[in-house]
Amino acid sequence: MSESKTSHHFDVVIIGSGLGGLVSGVLLSKAGKKVAVLEKNNQFGGNLQTFVREKTIFDTGVHYVGGLAKDQNLYNYFSCLDILDDLEWEQLDENQFDQIYFQETKTYYPQAQGYQNFVTQLAKQFPKNKAEIQLYIETIQEYCKAFPLYQFDFEGSYQAPYLEKSVQEVLNDIFTNKELIAVVLGNNFLYALDYEQTPFYVHALTVNSYIESAWRCVKGGSQLTKALTKQLKKHGGKLFKYQEVTGFLTDETNVLACETATDLFYASDFVSNINLKTTFGLLPENLQKKPSIKRINTLKVTPSVFSVHLVLKKELIPYFNSNIYHYDQLNQVFNYDQTIETDFPKMMVITTNPKEKNQTFTDNISVMTYMDFHHFQKWEHTKNTVKKPQNRGLDYEAFKQELTEKVIDKMQIHFPEIRKAILHVSASTPLTYRDYIGLEKGNLYGFEKVAHQPHMTQIMPQTKISNLWLCGQNVRMHGILGVTISAFHLAKAFLGTHLFNDLIVKK
């Protein structure tokens, strides 16, 4: 440790300015704590970040959200944070917020907003299975009611039996039509499905909010960052960029300070919103020996993503107010694994980002597909960020280009004139997400949850080190809603019921 480092003193230091860190920071600062949020990069927000190509905004991770209509769950959480007035959203097509497409059947299947509308629209293509679709919706609702925090209820506790069953076990008891099962699982990119292993509650909690109501961010998800940092500053919180934490200073039982290349941040408590394995790796070896830390270090992460971002010429591609989930074959829905040697990509998500409401044409399209990190292991030793740019080499760029061309080729199924409309192309790989967001192997959604083994990934906000706390996608659930809930869960445990209850007044 260098004696020349600048020292700071706070009540709470939050490591990582992703959604969980910012929401935690707002709640704790509103409760009167002196809070600092540290970010290793130039841009705050983690997966809320946006980037610009040819003056066109692209989202890193916030492509659409659910539950934002008045009195729905995400609306209630955002209301408590006082950020609703600073956010601009556009609701997706109520009759098909997601279109599930199979090249095998050459058919688009709708997933609609509103429970009854979901049943009505899908039953048009599966009239003999309408009762099964109704039972599916009722089962999703039943599972969601078993998780009080999902319902904005901070008094109840979740019902443990609902953690156990797999997607396969529940859906095989509901449906008799495999094609219909594939359709209701068609937007599984939202949670990285393994049909036999993924718990059904992960599916239910994820898709339910979108079925209630589905929305796109106008001008990108970074508006969430701006709204949250505005509230953080309003309540006295401080933000520090280019402050990557390299270690903790500790005594025998607690964290005393966290250290960066230039500064020391002392606090009574520390909240980590970064990769949990990275967090615990910052501790001295004697504190890493705790059984809970050893367990976390064995957990498998979800797959990563390869993304292609297209800037389009004006007024050539009509704006589409839904997302397209493409699969070559029905059976490719049931697992996120895909090879890149043949027919790549076998699945992809096609979406767009509106820059104003009620657009006629779009000037951008983003395409995402699952990507295993091992395909980019050759360049694992490289690191490229805004602060420390590094050219990964010509072979890396050639490989990216090869994959990008295959993605665009397959996009022509849905947009035959797409090549004529392209003005600029860029791509993101698992290494991009690893370096900019700090995700282990560039993973999408943190640790992989496994049916019948819920204890393995049950991670609480308070660690066995009494003044070290956790939030983010590995505590409770991933996604905008899941991570927001994890931060509220942390705030309640941190502040106690009485102080916390003063914060959760809906507007």
Side-chain angles (χ1 to χ4, degrees):
M1 182 186 76
S2 169
E3 294 182 0
S4 64
K5 290 187 177 181
T6 303
S7 293
H8 310 266
H9 295 267
F10 292 91
D11 296 328
V12 183
V13 169
I14 297 173
I15 303 165
S17 73
L19 178 63
L22 292 176
V23 173
S24 299
V26 171
L27 293 172
L28 298 181
S29 62
K30 283 180 72 172
K33 300 297 180 182
K34 187 181 178 185
V35 174
V37 178
L38 312 184
E39 170 56 48
K40 71 184 180 74
N41 291 320
N42 173 61
Q43 197 178 152
F44 298 110
N47 249 338
L48 302 177
Q49 293 178 54
T50 55
F51 59 95
V52 176
R53 297 289 182 269
E54 301 292 324
K55 300 180 181 179
T56 301
I57 296 173
F58 289 92
D59 272 302
T60 300
V62 188
H63 300 287
Y64 65 131
V65 303
L68 258 184
K70 186 172 174 58
D71 293 328
Q72 293 177 354
N73 48 19
L74 190 58
Y75 179 97
N76 289 335
Y77 279 103
F78 281 1
S79 174
C80 284
L81 295 166
D82 296 317
I83 61 174
L84 285 170
D85 290 342
D86 294 318
L87 303 175
E88 187 176 3
W89 305 89
E90 182 174 39
Q91 191 164 6
L92 289 163
D93 188 331
E94 292 190 42
N95 290 332
Q96 51 172 24
F97 68 90
D98 284 343
Q99 299 182 67
I100 314 303
Y101 175 86
F102 298 99
Q103 181 66 7
E104 181 178 345
T105 63
K106 294 184 170 53
T107 304
Y108 293 90
Y109 303 88
Q111 293 206 14
Q113 298 176 60
Y115 295 122
Q116 197 52 52
N117 193 33
F118 184 97
V119 176
T120 299
Q121 298 303 326
L122 201 49
K124 289 177 181 179
Q125 288 171 295
F126 296 94
K128 295 180 181 178
N129 305 100
K130 185 173 182 178
E132 295 177 356
I133 302 169
Q134 182 66 48
L135 179 57
Y136 164 74
I137 285 294
E138 291 170 0
T139 304
I140 283 179
Q141 291 175 289
E142 176 190 344
Y143 268 74
C144 291
K145 288 175 183 175
F147 295 85
L149 287 175
Y150 188 83
Q151 306 294 335
F152 201 75
D153 174 2
F154 299 95
E155 302 304 321
S157 57
Y158 66 83
Q159 298 177 37
Y162 286 89
L163 299 175
E164 292 285 343
K165 284 191 174 183
S166 70
V167 173
Q168 181 183 46
E169 289 170 313
V170 175
L171 293 192
N172 282 1
D173 282 343
I174 296 175
F175 293 113
T176 56
N177 184 322
K178 186 176 179 181
E179 182 179 348
L180 180 53
I181 294 176
V183 170
V184 300
L185 294 177
N187 50 12
N188 71 60
F189 194 85
L190 294 167
Y191 54 94
L193 173 70
D194 180 323
Y195 190 52
E196 297 178 0
Q197 299 286 345
T198 300
F200 184 77
Y201 82 87
V202 172
H203 168 82
L205 297 181
T206 301
V207 302
N208 178 77
S209 291
Y210 296 96
I211 295 172
E212 287 190 326
S213 66
W215 309 75
R216 278 196 181 130
C217 307
V218 178
K219 299 178 184 176
S222 60
Q223 62 173 308
L224 257 173
T225 304
K226 294 173 184 175
L228 288 166
T229 55
K230 174 183 172 181
Q231 289 299 317
L232 183 69
K233 293 173 183 177
K234 175 181 175 181
H235 296 286
K238 304 293 183 184
L239 291 140
F240 297 83
K241 62 174 64 174
Y242 295 133
Q243 293 289 349
E244 182 171 6
V245 174
T246 56
F248 286 129
L249 305 184
T250 68
D251 59 18
E252 291 301 309
T253 57
N254 288 320
V255 179
L256 304 176
C258 61
E259 183 175 15
T260 71
T262 56
D263 294 69
L264 279 168
F265 293 86
Y266 291 88
S268 301
D269 289 274
F270 295 82
V271 176
S272 176
N273 186 52
I274 63 172
N275 183 342
L276 298 195
K277 294 179 184 178
T278 301
T279 300
F280 294 130
L282 299 171
L283 294 166
E285 285 189 20
N286 65 304
L287 294 180
Q288 291 186 37
K289 294 178 181 179
K290 295 180 181 294
S292 59
I293 295 177
K294 289 183 177 180
R295 170 174 59 88
I296 285 171
N297 284 331
T298 67
L299 296 177
K300 179 184 177 183
V301 294
T302 52
S304 189
V305 56
F306 181 80
S307 301
V308 176
H309 314 286
L310 305 177
V311 179
L312 305 175
K313 298 172 185 175
K314 292 182 179 180
E315 300 188 357
L316 288 181
I317 301 294
Y319 180 76
F320 48 104
N321 200 24
S322 60
N323 306 294
I324 300 169
Y325 285 79
H326 168 104
Y327 297 86
D328 287 354
Q329 298 177 347
L330 293 166
N331 62 14
Q332 289 162 352
V333 166
F334 297 99
N335 196 286
Y336 56 71
D337 289 335
Q338 70 166 327
T339 60
I340 64 171
E341 288 75 24
T342 57
D343 299 324
F344 175 84
K346 296 177 177 63
M347 75 77 55
M348 56 187 181
V349 186
I350 305 171
T351 187
T352 186
N353 180 30
K355 60 181 181 182
E356 60 187 24
K357 291 184 177 180
N358 302 314
Q359 288 182 199
T360 304
F361 294 92
T362 185
D363 65 354
N364 70 87
I365 290 178
S366 289
V367 189
M368 298 164 285
T369 186
Y370 291 123
M371 181 61 64
D372 194 295
F373 186 81
H374 83 262
H375 293 302
F376 287 84
Q377 206 138 12
K378 177 180 179 180
W379 303 280
E380 186 177 16
H381 64 284
T382 65
K383 187 173 183 180
N384 179 36
T385 64
V386 170
K387 188 178 180 181
K388 295 182 178 180
Q390 180 182 4
N391 189 328
R392 302 192 203 270
L394 293 177
D395 53 348
Y396 172 79
E397 295 301 328
F399 185 45
K400 274 175 61 177
Q401 184 63 29
E402 177 188 345
L403 296 178
T404 298
E405 290 300 318
K406 290 180 178 180
V407 168
I408 296 173
D409 282 345
K410 192 151 289 187
M411 277 190 68
Q412 292 177 107
I413 293 171
H414 308 280
F415 301 93
E417 303 298 316
I418 190 65
R419 285 200 176 273
K420 295 179 182 178
I422 294 173
L423 185 66
H424 180 271
V425 182
S426 60
S428 306
T429 76
L431 294 173
T432 314
Y433 291 91
R434 182 200 67 179
D435 292 352
Y436 278 89
I437 313 300
L439 303 170
E440 179 186 355
K441 296 184 177 180
N443 75 84
L444 280 166
Y445 304 125
F447 299 133
E448 195 169 272
K449 295 175 175 63
V450 179
H452 303 292
Q453 297 180 27
H455 62 284
M456 291 298 293
T457 51
Q458 285 294 292
I459 298 167
M460 303 303 288
Q462 187 167 21
T463 70
K464 298 299 182 182
I465 298 159
S466 63
N467 71 336
L468 179 60
W469 303 76
L470 307 173
C471 63
Q473 66 179 2
N474 284 313
V475 182
R476 298 287 173 173
M477 281 280 286
H478 65 273
I480 296 293
L481 177 61
V483 170
T484 299
I485 289 174
S486 85
F488 274 75
H489 187 207
L490 177 148
K492 183 180 180 182
F494 189 102
L495 297 169
T497 301
H498 179 71
L499 283 175
F500 177 73
N501 285 343
D502 290 341
L503 298 178
I504 58 168
V505 180
K506 291 184 286 184
K507 300 293 183 291

